[in-house]
């Protein structure tokens, strides 16, 4: 065979080799992301929420959102053949048990925890998360004190600073609310929120006629609802801002207030914006709650929820669990599975989820997105902002 014979198949030119190499790299990047991952390709995420006690309803809802997100994630071919596995832990309702559970999670090697839910619980473990280097992504904690923990602590809801100021504007700017009363838990969440509310109220030259603290640790023994109601009869408040331990305690307070012939305009936060409150009776009609926005951006989510759990959503808190899991997954896929990589991924994330756009500031706080809701005909209804700002909510 002559060596001068030209073949149609041979070595590609140098430029072609470079183009092929670039194409291979780009294709690989679509399926394999950088970072550290377990050898078995199982990405384990700890979920630490209240699955018992007075906040059980909320904990279960957040967890259901996580479940839907994991099912959706694992329904696709993930980079490197990875799968997400979620392990659930109960906060158990007391600080000592919570700390022991958190240390159990740390010792088991989880780099990230979705939870805890409440501000009190999250504050109890935040300092340990910072020292030990475990990412916390709370779907419900709102305390302004959490802003101090800016390295490993994040949340999918906004700080109480915005909530306290917002309620202060609504009540302070309404001429019908002259006699204002505050009832709040004596923990950092209740105290901090009440202080922010009072600070804003003063801008309208108003001050609360009475401030009652509820001892959270000894609520059932040391909080006298009857005495509180008697004080309310003397003050006859137009508006009451109530931060109670849980929905059941708020229902009891409303019931006894109603029996005493009083009908103030109640204002509460998201820990009382439950179906238990809405369905408790006629005395709950008109209750107003300021809560992190729950306007789901995916119209199919409600159907997916109902199909999976066999019942429609009673409250919409599950969307925050869903968003938290999706953000963790996005951070892991883009950066890696170590706590430092997940932390860095969350810092840079630009995520549009069921609860709207989520961007964290330098302290791990989400920029504010709130809804004002009211109980009408036994159900929570989101009020249009035109109605809120014209102070026409009132009793219905």
């Amino acid at each position: 065979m002559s060596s001068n014979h030209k073949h149609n198949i041979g070595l590609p030119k140098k430029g072609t080799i470079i183009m092929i190499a670039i194409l291979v790299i780009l294709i690989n990047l679509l399926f394999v992301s950088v970072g550290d991952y377990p050898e078995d390709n199982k990405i384990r995420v700890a979920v630490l929420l209240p699955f018992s006690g007075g906040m059980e309803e909320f904990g279960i809802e957040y967890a259901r959102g996580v479940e839907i997100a994991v099912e959706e994630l694992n329904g696709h071919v993930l980079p490197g053949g990875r799968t997400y596995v979620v392990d659930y832990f109960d906060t158990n309702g007391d600080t000592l048990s919570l700390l022991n559970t958190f240390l159990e999670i740390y010792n088991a090697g989880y780099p990230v925890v979705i939870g805890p839910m409440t501000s009190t619980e999250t504050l109890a473990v935040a300092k340990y998360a910072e020292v030990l280097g475990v990412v916390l992504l709370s779907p419900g904690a709102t305390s302004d004190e959490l802003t101090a923990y800016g390295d490993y602590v994040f949340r999918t809801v906004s700080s109480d600073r915005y909530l306290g100021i917002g309620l202060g504007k609504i009540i302070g700017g309404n001429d019908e609310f002259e006699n204002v009363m505050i009832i709040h838990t004596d923990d950092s969440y209740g105290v901090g929120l009440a202080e922010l509310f009072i600070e804003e109220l003063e801008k309208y030259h108003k001050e609360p006629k009475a401030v009652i603290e509820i001892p959270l640790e000894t609520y059932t023994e040391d909080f006298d609802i009857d005495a509180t109601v008697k004080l309310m009869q003397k003050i006859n408040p137009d508006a009451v801002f109530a931060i109670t331990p849980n929905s059941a305690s708020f229902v009891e307070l409303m019931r006894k207030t109603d029996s005493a012939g009083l009908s103030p305009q109640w204002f509460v936060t998201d820990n009382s914006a439950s179906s238990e409150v809405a369905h408790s009776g006629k005395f709950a009609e008109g209750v107003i709650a300021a809560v992190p926005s729950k306007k789901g951006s995916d119209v199919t989510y409600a159907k997916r929820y109902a199909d999976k759990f066999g019942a429609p959503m009673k409250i919409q808190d599950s969307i925050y669990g869903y968003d938290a899991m999706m953000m963790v997954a996005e951070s892991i896929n883009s950066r890696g599975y170590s706590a430092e990589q997940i932390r860095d991924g969350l810092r840079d994330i630009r995520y549009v989820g069921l609860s709207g756009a989520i961007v964290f500031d330098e302290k791990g706080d989400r920029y504010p997105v709130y809804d004002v809701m009211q109980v009408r005909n036994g159900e929570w209804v989101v009020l249009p902002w035109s109605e809120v700002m014209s102070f026409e909510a009132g009793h219905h």
Side-chain angles (χ1 to χ4, degrees):
M1 183 178 293
S2 171
S3 60
N4 292 328
H5 183 75
K6 293 183 179 181
H7 297 278
N8 292 326
I9 300 175
L11 292 175
K13 295 181 179 180
K14 182 178 180 181
T16 305
I17 294 174
I18 294 174
M19 290 300 296
I20 291 173
I22 292 173
L23 182 61
V24 170
I25 292 171
L26 291 174
I27 291 173
N28 285 336
L29 285 175
L30 291 175
F31 296 96
V32 181
S33 53
V34 298
D36 303 324
Y37 300 98
E39 292 183 1
D40 63 1
N41 284 326
K42 293 187 182 300
I43 307 296
R44 296 188 177 276
V45 176
V47 173
L48 180 59
L49 294 169
F51 298 121
S52 57
M55 303 301 286
E56 177 182 4
E57 178 184 16
F58 294 97
I60 290 173
E61 285 303 304
Y62 286 116
R64 286 182 169 182
V66 172
E67 286 185 50
I68 294 174
V70 171
E71 187 176 87
E72 184 176 316
L73 288 165
N74 289 337
H76 298 83
V77 178
L78 297 176
R82 296 190 290 271
T83 58
Y84 286 93
V85 178
V86 175
D87 297 315
Y88 296 92
F89 299 84
D90 192 350
T91 57
N92 291 314
D94 68 273
T95 303
L96 180 59
S97 177
L98 172 64
L99 291 175
N100 288 335
T101 303
F102 178 75
L103 290 176
E104 176 188 341
I105 291 170
Y106 167 73
N107 289 327
Y110 294 91
V112 59
V113 178
I114 294 177
M117 188 189 82
T118 70
S119 295
T120 300
E121 292 169 340
T122 307
L123 282 166
V125 299
K127 63 177 79 68
Y128 299 99
E130 292 285 306
V131 172
L132 298 174
V134 178
V135 174
L136 290 185
L137 179 55
S138 172
T142 58
S143 173
D144 195 44
E145 290 185 41
L146 285 168
T147 300
Y149 301 96
D151 288 334
Y152 286 89
V153 180
F154 300 83
R155 43 196 167 158
T156 61
V157 290
S158 303
S159 167
D160 283 334
R161 174 161 295 277
Y162 306 109
L163 178 58
I165 291 173
L167 283 173
K169 288 182 183 297
I170 291 173
I171 297 174
N174 191 334
D175 293 337
E176 293 182 5
F177 301 142
E178 291 298 330
N179 294 331
V180 180
M181 185 174 179
I182 302 172
I183 303 172
H184 69 87
T185 52
D186 66 352
D187 59 337
S188 57
Y189 172 68
V191 172
L193 192 50
E195 288 177 349
L196 289 165
F197 174 77
I198 293 172
E199 181 182 319
E200 187 64 24
L201 205 63
E202 289 175 347
K203 296 178 181 178
Y204 295 88
H205 308 290
K206 294 181 181 180
E207 61 181 25
K209 302 299 181 183
V211 178
I212 304 296
E213 286 196 355
I214 301 174
L216 189 61
E217 294 293 332
T218 57
Y219 162 69
T220 55
E221 296 87 6
D222 294 339
F223 181 56
D224 190 340
I225 292 182
D226 291 330
T228 300
V229 173
K230 286 182 180 179
L231 177 59
M232 292 175 68
Q233 286 178 306
K234 293 180 180 179
I235 297 173
N236 192 23
D238 307 312
V240 180
F241 180 26
I243 309 165
T244 56
N246 49 52
S247 296
S249 58
F250 179 55
V251 169
E252 184 182 8
L253 176 61
M254 283 195 298
R255 181 178 289 111
K256 291 193 173 184
T257 301
D258 182 68
S259 297
L262 300 173
S263 57
Q265 175 61 62
W266 294 99
F267 290 87
V268 297
T269 57
D270 56 318
N271 68 337
S272 292
S274 67
S275 58
E276 180 181 3
V277 169
H279 301 160
S280 60
K282 290 184 178 180
F283 52 78
E285 284 294 307
V287 172
I288 292 175
V291 301
S293 178
K294 297 179 182 180
K295 297 176 182 175
S297 60
D298 184 350
V299 295
T300 69
Y301 179 77
K303 184 179 185 305
R304 284 150 53 200
Y305 179 102
D307 289 345
K308 182 172 179 61
F309 300 110
M313 289 185 290
K314 292 182 179 179
I315 54 177
Q316 290 188 313
D317 294 77
S318 67
I319 66 175
Y320 285 95
Y322 178 94
D323 281 352
M325 184 63 218
M326 284 300 191
M327 286 192 293
V328 166
E330 186 170 319
S331 297
I332 291 172
N333 288 342
S334 64
R335 294 299 183 91
Y337 185 53
S338 73
E340 293 80 7
Q341 290 165 335
I342 296 171
R343 175 201 64 192
D344 292 344
L346 289 174
R347 283 177 175 171
D348 294 337
I349 204 165
R350 300 293 184 271
Y351 175 77
V352 179
L354 297 181
S355 61
I358 302 178
V359 178
F360 296 115
D361 64 18
E362 67 278 3
K363 294 296 185 179
D365 287 344
R366 178 184 181 175
Y367 290 102
V369 183
Y370 279 98
D371 286 333
V372 177
M373 304 173 70
Q374 186 171 44
V375 176
R376 294 183 178 179
N377 299 318
E379 300 295 339
W380 287 104
V381 176
V382 177
L383 301 179
W385 274 105
S386 58
E387 185 173 344
V388 174
M389 297 313 296
S390 63
F391 308 114
E392 295 174 354
H395 290 287
H396 281 73

